[in-house]
């Protein structure tokens, strides 16, 4: 019996060493960021069974051959949109009127995504969720040809149901309605009767990035469609931070207050680019040929309408590499006087942290606004571990006290901005499918800066001396979870 146990334990040790060594080599050969690689190797060494299984499920940005091939085709179609826009003169931007660094951002978007900056868009910025939902419902009620819609979360109740009813009415009068909702983000909604009501009315509805045991072997199941886009008749578009939820009915038991969001309603040239993002996503999930969807939705390249120069940047695994991060880093490096960043979740990689600290070091006033309370225990403490780094570099940190501030925006010198779905965390940069507007228009940027000022007015500035006095247990928890931040 003792020989058997000795034999079994020997094989167990050999198996353990082999698995740990093999996966460690695999981590190294995949060449993730150094911090990410070390975090995975440490987890695999400390908990071989759990760590190995977790790495195989979510450790690599595997997207499957079909989706990867689909993105190759989409990049070509994005280039065609850009070429058509150039022929129509929509990309003739007067760069001499802009900060020099912005032209470099335009080049990043062209090369990594295929989308150039386009001139001739107008906007209206909304910051009250009831007005947003009511205005979207009105636009859908006025639709004549098509409604294209994608969201990360749909939650029943309140004014979100008005959008549902507007879609049902639109489909009933013959409007071509396509709705794409994330499979996991909206999982509770998929279990209600609302999806079937939409289908029964004639709305074409698909779950984005379905999850399941079999799909784990094809690609990662935690890659999520985090975009928020609505396109009506090809000439009106919405995007921003807000999911299709009424905050009075959403996560009321989370203890963080109501979610605070903002959205932009756009007309003009940029609408065509947001429509192109949607039809690409729809093609990947439904298999509908792009030409067929463009024809049925009656999409077209729109004439310039408005003063704004805007660049639309979609991002995600297999689609754009690190384009979103590169755009934000370049945006921050154009700052001369002030940067204001608004994000619900702060888990930056080293390059973003250094860009913020570097801006402060060269005399730029950097202000970060985050919610006082967030709905994720891990993210809450991992985020707080970065506060000390920021405070040490004279960056002002503000804690918003009137709910979960969910707006994702960056303004630079009050002259240009980023606005969209991108959190300042590694999940948004590397794992989620996101979309952002890069705004090269001082009036639009000034409106976003004014919105950020309302958040600052309802925030408490973090006192560096008081924060430094927090207890050992709290600091240890923060720093421990920071080690896992590359995996969050």
């Amino acid at each position: 019996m003792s020989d058997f146990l000795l034999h079994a334990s020997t094989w167990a040790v050999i198996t353990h060493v082999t698995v740990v060594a093999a996966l460690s080599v695999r981590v190294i050969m995949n060449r993730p960021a150094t911090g990410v690689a070390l975090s995975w190797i440490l987890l695999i060494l400390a908990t071989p069974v759990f760590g190995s299984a977790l790495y195989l499920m979510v450790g690599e940005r595997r997207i499957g051959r079909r989706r990867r091939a689909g993105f190759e085709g989409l990049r070509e179609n994005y280039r065609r949109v850009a070429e058509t826009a150039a022929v129509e003169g929509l990309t003739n931007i007067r760069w001499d009127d802009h900060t020099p660094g912005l032209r470099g951002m335009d080049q990043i978007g062209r090369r990594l995504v295929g989308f150039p900056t386009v001139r001739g868009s107008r906007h209206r910025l909304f910051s009250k969720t009831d007005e947003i939902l009511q205005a979207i419902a009105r636009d859908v009620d006025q639709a004549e040809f098509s409604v294209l819609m994608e969201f990360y979360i749909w939650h029943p109740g309140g004014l979100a149901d008005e959008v549902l009813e507007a879609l049902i009415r639109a489909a009933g009068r013959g409007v071509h309605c396509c709705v794409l909702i994330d499979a996991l983000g909206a999982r509770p909604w998929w279990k209600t009767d609302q999806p079937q009501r939409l289908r029964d009315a004639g709305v074409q509805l698909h779950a984005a990035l379905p999850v399941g045991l079999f799909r784990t072997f094809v690609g990662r199941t935690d890659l999520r469609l985090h975009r928020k886009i609505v396109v009506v008749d090809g000439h009106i578009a919405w995007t921003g931070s807000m999911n299709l939820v009424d905050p009075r009915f959403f996560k009321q038991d989370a203890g963080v207050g109501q979610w605070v969001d903002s959205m932009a309603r756009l007309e003009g040239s940029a609408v065509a680019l947001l429509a192109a993002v949607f039809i690409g996503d729809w093609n990947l999930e439904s298999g509908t040929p792009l030409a067929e969807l463009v024809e049925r939705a009656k999409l077209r390249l729109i004439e310039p309408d408005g003063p704004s120069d805007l660049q639309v940047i979609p991002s995600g695994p297999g689609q754009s590499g690190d384009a979103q991060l590169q755009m934000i880093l370049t945006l921050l490096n154009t700052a001369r006087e002030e940067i204001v960043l608004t994000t619900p979740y702060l888990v930056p990689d080293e390059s973003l942290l250094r860009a913020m600290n570097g801006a402060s070091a060269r005399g730029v006033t950097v202000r970060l606004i985050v919610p006082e309370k967030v709905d994720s225990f891990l993210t809450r403490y991992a985020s707080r571990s970065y506060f000390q780094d920021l405070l040490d570099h004279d960056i002002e940190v503000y804690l918003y006290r009137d709910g979960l501030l969910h707006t994702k925006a960056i303004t630079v010198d009050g002259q240009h901005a980023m606005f969209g779905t991108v959190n300042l965390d590694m999940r948004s940069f590397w794992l989620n499918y996101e979309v952002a507007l890069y705004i090269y228009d001082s009036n639009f940027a000034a409106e976003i800066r004014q919105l950020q000022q309302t958040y600052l007015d309802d925030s408490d500035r973090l006192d560096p001396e008081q924060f430094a006095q927090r207890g050992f247990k709290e600091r240890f928890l923060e720093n421990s979870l920071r080690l896992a931040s590359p995996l969050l």
Side-chain angles (χ1 to χ4, degrees):
M1 184 66 177
S2 60
D3 290 341
F4 173 78
L5 292 176
L6 180 62
H7 185 71
S9 63
T10 300
W11 276 108
V13 170
I14 293 173
T15 302
H16 164 71
V17 172
T18 301
V19 169
V20 170
L23 284 180
S24 296
V25 170
R26 181 165 178 163
V27 171
I28 292 168
M29 294 308 294
N30 277 320
R31 299 191 303 171
T34 302
V36 175
L38 292 175
S39 295
W40 277 118
I41 292 173
L42 179 62
L43 183 63
I44 292 167
L45 285 170
T47 58
V49 175
F50 172 77
S52 299
L54 188 64
Y55 178 78
L56 292 174
M57 285 191 294
V58 302
E60 300 169 4
R61 292 191 292 164
R62 294 177 293 116
I63 62 172
R65 292 181 180 179
R66 186 184 71 83
R67 181 170 287 272
R68 187 175 298 278
F71 278 127
E72 290 297 325
L74 285 182
R75 274 192 286 271
E76 181 59 33
N77 282 284
Y78 290 162
R79 292 188 188 97
R80 290 176 184 172
V81 171
E83 290 170 1
T84 304
V87 170
E88 297 292 330
L90 299 183
T91 61
N92 294 336
I93 309 299
R94 298 178 57 180
W95 290 111
D96 290 343
D97 295 339
H98 293 295
T99 301
L102 301 186
R103 191 164 194 170
M105 294 177 64
D106 174 69
Q107 292 300 316
I108 292 172
R110 288 173 182 264
R111 294 181 181 180
L112 298 186
V113 179
F115 277 176
T117 305
V118 293
R119 65 179 179 85
S121 297
R122 66 177 63 252
H123 72 279
R124 182 179 173 191
L125 186 64
F126 287 76
S127 59
K128 295 181 179 179
T129 52
D130 55 343
E131 293 181 358
I132 293 169
L133 293 169
Q134 290 169 346
I136 291 175
R138 282 196 302 271
D139 283 341
V140 173
D141 272 329
Q142 294 172 9
E144 298 179 357
F145 307 116
S146 63
V147 177
L148 313 177
M149 185 180 293
E150 64 180 337
F151 283 93
Y152 175 57
I153 298 174
W154 193 332
H155 187 81
L159 294 174
D161 291 350
E162 290 192 10
V163 178
L164 176 90
E165 299 300 334
L167 277 168
I168 291 172
R169 290 191 294 269
R173 63 179 183 270
V175 175
H176 183 61
C177 298
C178 297
V179 178
L180 191 60
I181 305 294
D182 188 77
L184 189 60
R187 188 171 184 177
W189 179 80
W190 285 108
K191 297 178 181 179
T192 70
D193 66 340
Q194 291 192 350
Q196 192 58 49
R197 287 191 61 203
L198 290 171
R199 292 189 173 112
D200 290 344
V203 174
Q204 295 189 28
L205 176 65
H206 277 281
L209 299 166
V211 297
L213 182 61
F214 174 75
R215 292 181 182 274
T216 303
F217 298 100
V218 177
R220 284 185 65 157
T221 57
D222 68 331
L223 305 180
R224 305 305 343 139
L225 182 76
H226 197 240
R227 295 170 181 153
K228 293 91 177 171
I229 296 175
V230 179
V231 180
V232 178
D233 287 344
H235 70 83
I236 295 171
W238 290 79
T239 194
S241 67
M242 186 174 170
N243 291 294
L244 202 51
V245 303
D246 186 327
R248 298 172 300 171
F249 294 81
F250 182 62
K251 289 195 173 183
Q252 290 298 296
D253 57 350
V256 296
Q258 292 188 11
W259 290 37
V260 177
D261 281 288
S262 56
M263 295 283 278
R265 183 183 187 272
L266 302 170
E267 296 179 73
S269 306
V271 174
L273 301 184
L274 286 168
V277 175
F278 174 88
I279 64 175
D281 292 337
W282 185 264
N283 168 260
L284 289 172
E285 298 298 339
S286 70
T288 304
L290 295 174
E292 178 182 327
L293 181 56
V294 169
E295 176 61 29
R296 294 191 65 184
K298 298 188 183 301
L299 299 177
R300 63 200 184 281
L301 198 65
I302 301 172
E303 293 295 323
D305 180 17
S308 296
D309 297 335
L310 302 177
Q311 192 168 18
V312 175
I313 299 295
S315 62
Q319 183 173 32
S320 63
D322 62 351
Q324 207 71 256
L325 179 58
Q326 293 284 357
M327 292 288 288
I328 290 176
L329 293 176
T330 307
L331 178 65
L332 297 183
N333 286 331
T334 68
R336 295 296 177 267
E337 297 178 1
E338 180 195 61
I339 298 171
V340 183
L341 310 100
T342 310
T343 183
Y345 309 112
L346 177 76
V347 188
D349 78 339
E350 286 300 317
S351 63
L352 179 58
L353 194 63
R354 288 178 183 276
M356 295 169 65
N357 292 341
S360 179
R362 66 175 184 267
V364 176
T365 300
V366 182
R367 297 184 172 99
L368 171 70
I369 316 169
V370 294
E372 185 178 38
K373 300 177 181 178
V374 297
D375 58 332
S376 168
F377 173 85
L378 295 178
T379 304
R380 180 188 313 142
Y381 282 96
S383 294
R384 289 175 67 87
S385 74
Y386 293 95
F387 290 172
Q388 192 63 58
D389 298 288
L390 300 174
L391 293 171
D392 287 344
H393 287 82
D394 297 322
I395 292 174
E396 302 173 11
V397 179
Y398 293 85
L399 305 180
Y400 183 79
R401 58 180 178 268
D402 288 346
L404 195 153
L405 179 59
H406 197 241
T407 295
K408 305 99 167 35
I410 301 172
T411 57
V412 172
D413 298 338
Q415 298 294 309
H416 31 280
M418 184 281 288
F419 180 84
T421 71
V422 183
N423 297 313
L424 299 182
D425 65 7
M426 285 182 250
R427 167 160 286 279
S428 276
F429 293 143
W430 301 109
L431 299 179
N432 287 344
Y433 291 95
E434 308 279 6
V435 66
L437 292 177
Y438 287 86
I439 298 160
Y440 313 140
D441 171 56
S442 58
N443 291 327
F444 194 170
E447 287 187 43
I448 297 173
R449 177 61 182 85
Q450 183 56 45
L451 176 62
Q452 290 177 319
Q453 187 60 48
T454 68
Y455 299 150
L456 286 168
D457 293 342
D458 291 329
S459 300
D460 295 316
R461 183 175 175 181
L462 193 63
D463 182 81
E465 293 184 3
Q466 184 177 356
F467 186 70
Q469 294 174 4
R470 66 199 188 284
F472 172 81
K473 289 183 179 180
E474 189 171 2
R475 287 184 284 115
F476 182 78
L477 179 61
E478 293 168 0
N479 293 332
S480 297
L481 291 177
R482 178 173 177 151
L483 294 176
S485 62
L487 315 181
L488 293 179

